[in-house]
Amino acid sequence: MKRNFKVFLVLGTRPEAIKLAPVILELRKRCEFDCRVCVTAQHREMLDQVLQVFDIVPDLDLNLMRPDQTLSGLTSRAIETLDGVFAVEKPDLVLVQGDTATCFSAALTSFYHHIAVGHVEAGLRTGNLYSPWPEEANRVLTSRLATLHFAPTEVNSQNLLREGIEPAKIFVTGNTVIDALFIALEKIKSSPPDIPGLPAGITASWNGVRMVLITGHRRENFGQGFESICQSIAELANRFADVQFVYPVHLNPNVREPVMKILGSGGKGNIHLIDPLPYFPFIAMMHRSTLILTDSGGIQEEAPSLGKPVLVMRDTTERPEAVSAGTARLVGTDFRRIVMETSRLLTDKDSYDCMAGKTNPYGDGQTANRIVRICGEFLQTEKYSG
Ligand code: UD1
Ligand code: UDP
């Protein structure tokens, strides 16, 4: 007997939407799945930006974001609300992604309802529960609760095996971020997007001009870390007046406050603080950039495919593949180190060329396809065994 399997995808933030969009698009192509998208809206504007570009309309929107929300407040609201949703909807499988409060809350609530969980982007570890905080804990806890573990790389699979996860439940699939990146590259090739927040045509007038793209939002960098990051950017913009520094600033007030205070004057007219960019314009800016300064996880994965050097403003990374490949380097949040490493890349062609090679350690663009096939096989066996 054939039936539709009800697969629930629970997502809440910008990176979850980017990385689950290819899975949603793939599930929707296949008639054996009844694919439901449930957004916690842990992020509001930044989530909506992504859903819109991928043409995804959520089936359920829990609208949980509050200004300057606390981790406990958000997590308890998510668990409480998802509890009611799962009781009514009774999914056959819940898919979560990554390491956010939404991911962990949905995995825990699924467990309470005896619903199998598939974890997309499983097995990333720094080994330090406080870095990144609280994401490392969210990942470890989600792995304890999940039934299917979709590990992007062999390194991630080994991390899970070391924690005693059954080998038969681990699948090395690549990372769906590369599927999303390929969709974006195709799109921007056919119609180059405007960059909201920058004067029309300005990027065209930067022909031949170097550009440093910056993002940052990690909670463990709040306070001193962010101040130091911003002071480094101010110093770099002063030293390199011929280089443009473009910084789409995350909407978290703990990020915006120091960024606006320290960089708001715009340097020598070469610092551009703008709102978070929609996904396709952001990829266009990555493509256009000379190098990237970031503490983001997803950007560490996308940049190697674009051949862009990344200086990671963190002390640890759960994504060692790009560092091993030579395209990413950890620089922490120390003023002198950020200024020195960025200056080196801007002045020493050999150093730059060493980091700018294209590699693809995170996938081939077919990850969503693999994940959906494995989900189908699992549900067939699970539901019809015996
Ligand atoms: C969250 C995730 C982090 C992920 C990041 C991606 C947790 C604990 N953190 O961090 O793992 O790397 O998203 O960006 O799950 N805000 C808005 N509009 C938005 C988004 C955020 O106003 O669209 C503001 C709100 O004031 C909100 C605050 O930012 O309360 C913090 O959002 P939250 O999702 O809790 O934390 P992030 O730092 O964004
Ligand atoms: N991104 C975006 N607009 C921006 C900044 C980033 O679309 O203004 C994309 C980026 O390409 C990557 C993802 O957002 O795919 C990373 O999200 P973020 O840095 O917020 O979270 P993390 O990956 O650190 O969890």
Side-chain angles (χ1 to χ4, degrees), residues 302-318:
E302 292 159 339
S305 284
L306 299 173
K308 302 297 175 182
V310 182
L311 296 178
V312 182
M313 298 185 292
R314 295 173 47 184
D315 298 322
T316 58
T317 183
E318 58 290 301

Side-chain angles (χ1 to χ4, degrees), residues 119 122 142-144 146-151 160 165 169-172:
H119 186 201
T142 302
S143 293
R144 292 302 301 157
T147 305
L148 302 173
H149 307 260
F150 301 113
L160 292 168
I165 306 286
K169 294 182 172 170
I170 303 171
F171 305 89
V172 178

Side-chain angles (χ1 to χ4, degrees), residues 14-15 18-19 43 46 49-50 99 177 215 217-218 248 250 275-279 282-283 286 295-299 302 319:
R14 168 171 70 192
I18 291 169
K19 290 172 172 180
H43 284 175
M46 287 160 57
Q49 276 182 336
V50 182
D99 53 19
V177 77
T215 79
H217 69 84
R218 297 250 82 87
H250 194 286
D275 280 339
L277 287 172
Y279 186 54
F282 186 76
I283 295 300
M286 278 183 80
D295 64 14
S296 160
I299 292 169
E302 292 159 339
R319 292 160 167 100

Side-chain angles (χ1 to χ4, degrees), residues 98-121:
D99 53 19
T100 66
T102 290
C103 169
F104 167 61
S105 306
L108 183 61
T109 315
S110 303
F111 174 71
Y112 288 157
H113 284 260
H114 296 285
I115 301 165
V117 174
H119 186 201
V120 176
E121 198 181 83

Side-chain angles (χ1 to χ4, degrees), residues 18 29 40 51 65 121 123 142 158 168 173-174 181 185 197 203 215 225 245 251 271 278 300 317 343:
I18 291 169
K29 281 189 210 156
T40 61
L51 296 174
M65 194 193 87
E121 198 181 83
T142 302
Q158 291 300 323
T173 55
L181 177 67
L185 288 174
T203 52
T215 79
F245 293 78
L251 295 181
I271 300 178
Q300 290 178 59
T317 183
S343 301

Side-chain angles (χ1 to χ4, degrees), residues 309 325-329 345 348-358:
T327 57
R329 184 173 298 153
L345 289 176
D348 177 351
K349 186 171 177 321
D350 289 344
S351 296
Y352 184 85
D353 290 346
C354 267
M355 284 188 78
K358 265 194 198 175

